[in-house]
Amino acid sequence: MKITNVRTRVFEWKGHTVPPTAHFCSNAMDELWDKGDSMGTFRFHGWTVVEIETDNGLVGLGNVALAPRIAKAIIDQYLTPLLIGQDPFDYEYLWQRMYRSTHAWGRKGIGMAAISGVDIAIWDIMGKAVGKPVFKLLGGRTKEKIPCYASKLYRTDLKDMQEEAQSYLDQGFTAMKMRFGYGPRDGVEGVRANLDSVAAVREVIGEDVDLMLECYMGWNLDYAKRMLPKLERFQPRWLEEPVIADDIDGYAELNQLTSIPISGGEHEFTHYGFRQLLEKRAVSVIQYDTNRVGGITAARKINALAESFSVPVIPHAGQMHNYHLTMASLASPMSEYFPVHDVEIGNELFYYIFKGDPEPVNGFIDLDEETPGLGLELNSDYFDQFNIIE
Ligand SMILES: O=C(O)C(=O)C[C@@H](O)CO
Ligand SMILES: [Mg+2]
């Protein structure tokens, strides 16, 4: 089998978007005095869809959710020429070919995200070629079904957050993630507001439901060191991305500071990046996203590394490119799931671009043994809601 064509399209959402409220999620821009709409730079309202065609008529689907127009240009100009005429089953060779040929600029960030989109499509082809779901190619079903946690609870009115948390309990979730809205520049009022939001959610869900806390890189080491002891009483499952991704030593200091596990990784890349995080004990939970980190080829190597360190892997965002890895790895106990599909941040667009992602039942999702590849197809029902750039 040979690759004959690589088609990339950028899907830019023009449909309804839920306007964010102020302070709905702390983030890396918050440290700046003129931060403006600080979460603006973290809204992903575009997506690159990668379709790899083969000489026997198979088409593999991949995706990139960061800087989609740049990702498209990288794939079109630099990666596609490396793939035409190649056998998709040579996935390790092809990954190394893409990684090494773009090494000067592509080993992290959007270069690696572009490689990820191609690699995901390659694994989809391999599954379709042998008539097996991708998780079967990765080692099979390591769990009857995948527990997932409801991930939203962006900071808003506390009563609204409590109603939202209750709705996830009503849907059968036994774990959920909330976002902080305040950070180092918001003074003692911000500290109080952060603590009050956790207390409000805990009041609804009680002590037996896992609660994860998301900072999304919006704090700094000093602020996190002051906040962690104040948060211990809420016994969170983890505190996520308290500092910027480059502050690995900061992560490591925080991860040793209290009983609260520190999680991260959705802004880290390749098994080399995660080797650093693991060797420094910088995180107690790994959260790569397969459509950023290096695709399935890199993610499976990270799963092996994490298993040897006994560090669980709970990939960012859920979605099929992550679910198959989670199903096939004992190192992965659960998945993230975005329960509300109204377009806000843009992570939700996956459900408008693709069909096939499983819906949770009582807080669990399952993958079908009989559906080959990733189990996704393009969802043409919403094509008119996108500007599609060929
Ligand atoms: O779901 C996550 O972990 C994310 O980082 C999404 C982002 O929108 C803020 O939480
Ligand atoms: Mg996160």
Side-chain angles (χ1 to χ4, degrees), residues 248-249 252 256 275-283 309:
I248 296 174
D249 290 335
Q256 317 309 322
R275 172 184 166 184
Q276 274 195 307
L277 288 176
L278 288 165
E279 284 183 337
K280 288 178 178 276
R281 301 281 182 202
V283 290
F309 278 83

Side-chain angles (χ1 to χ4, degrees), residues 177 179 214 216 240-241 266-267 287 316 336:
K177 180 156 84 182
R179 272 74 179 172
E214 164 79 280
Y216 200 60
E240 184 169 333
E241 290 202 301
E266 68 180 88
H267 298 106
Q287 297 173 295
H316 168 260
E336 180 170 13

Side-chain angles (χ1 to χ4, degrees), residues 160-217:
D160 292 344
M161 290 183 78
Q162 289 186 314
E163 285 174 17
E164 184 183 345
Q166 183 59 53
S167 72
Y168 301 143
L169 294 180
D170 298 345
Q171 293 170 54
F173 288 102
T174 58
M176 56 187 80
K177 180 156 84 182
M178 63 180 285
R179 272 74 179 172
F180 285 114
Y182 300 87
R185 295 185 60 85
D186 300 306
V188 291
E189 296 81 7
V191 171
R192 175 50 46 208
N194 281 338
L195 297 174
D196 288 350
S197 63
V198 182
V201 172
R202 261 296 176 223
E203 181 186 331
V204 167
I205 67 175
E207 302 302 316
D208 298 335
V209 170
D210 273 346
L211 179 60
M212 298 79 163
L213 306 178
E214 164 79 280
C215 309
Y216 200 60
M217 309 174 284

Side-chain angles (χ1 to χ4, degrees), residues 61-230:
L61 268 182
N63 73 86
V64 186
L66 297 175
R69 292 191 182 203
I70 308 301
K72 171 178 170 57
I74 290 171
I75 296 168
D76 292 350
Q77 293 177 42
Y78 296 95
L79 304 184
T80 296
L82 304 172
L83 301 167
I84 301 300
Q86 298 292 329
D87 178 351
F89 277 91
D90 295 339
Y91 62 86
E92 173 67 19
Y93 163 71
L94 294 175
W95 191 91
Q96 294 290 349
R97 201 165 197 225
M98 294 188 285
Y99 173 60
R100 293 167 183 274
S101 68
T102 61
H103 207 66
W105 48 267
R107 49 194 271 276
K108 289 182 183 277
I110 192 55
M112 188 47 65
I115 289 171
S116 303
V118 168
D119 183 80
I120 291 166
I122 285 172
W123 279 87
D124 189 29
I125 289 172
M126 292 194 287
K128 287 171 177 174
V130 298
K132 295 282 186 188
V134 167
F135 73 84
K136 281 282 194 185
L137 277 60
L138 293 169
R141 181 180 292 273
T142 63
K143 41 189 79 68
E144 184 189 5
K145 46 192 177 181
I146 304 174
C148 53
Y149 70 89
S151 177
K152 194 171 181 297
L153 287 167
Y154 284 87
R155 175 60 201 251
T156 184
D157 171 81
L158 295 188
K159 280 289 175 217
D160 292 344
M161 290 183 78
Q162 289 186 314
E163 285 174 17
E164 184 183 345
Q166 183 59 53
S167 72
Y168 301 143
L169 294 180
D170 298 345
Q171 293 170 54
F173 288 102
T174 58
M176 56 187 80
K177 180 156 84 182
M178 63 180 285
R179 272 74 179 172
F180 285 114
Y182 300 87
R185 295 185 60 85
D186 300 306
V188 291
E189 296 81 7
V191 171
R192 175 50 46 208
N194 281 338
L195 297 174
D196 288 350
S197 63
V198 182
V201 172
R202 261 296 176 223
E203 181 186 331
V204 167
I205 67 175
E207 302 302 316
D208 298 335
V209 170
D210 273 346
L211 179 60
M212 298 79 163
L213 306 178
E214 164 79 280
C215 309
Y216 200 60
M217 309 174 284
W219 294 358
N220 57 35
L221 180 57
D222 174 60
Y223 187 81
K225 285 164 75 171
R226 290 187 286 128
M227 283 297 292
L228 274 164
K230 298 177 191 290

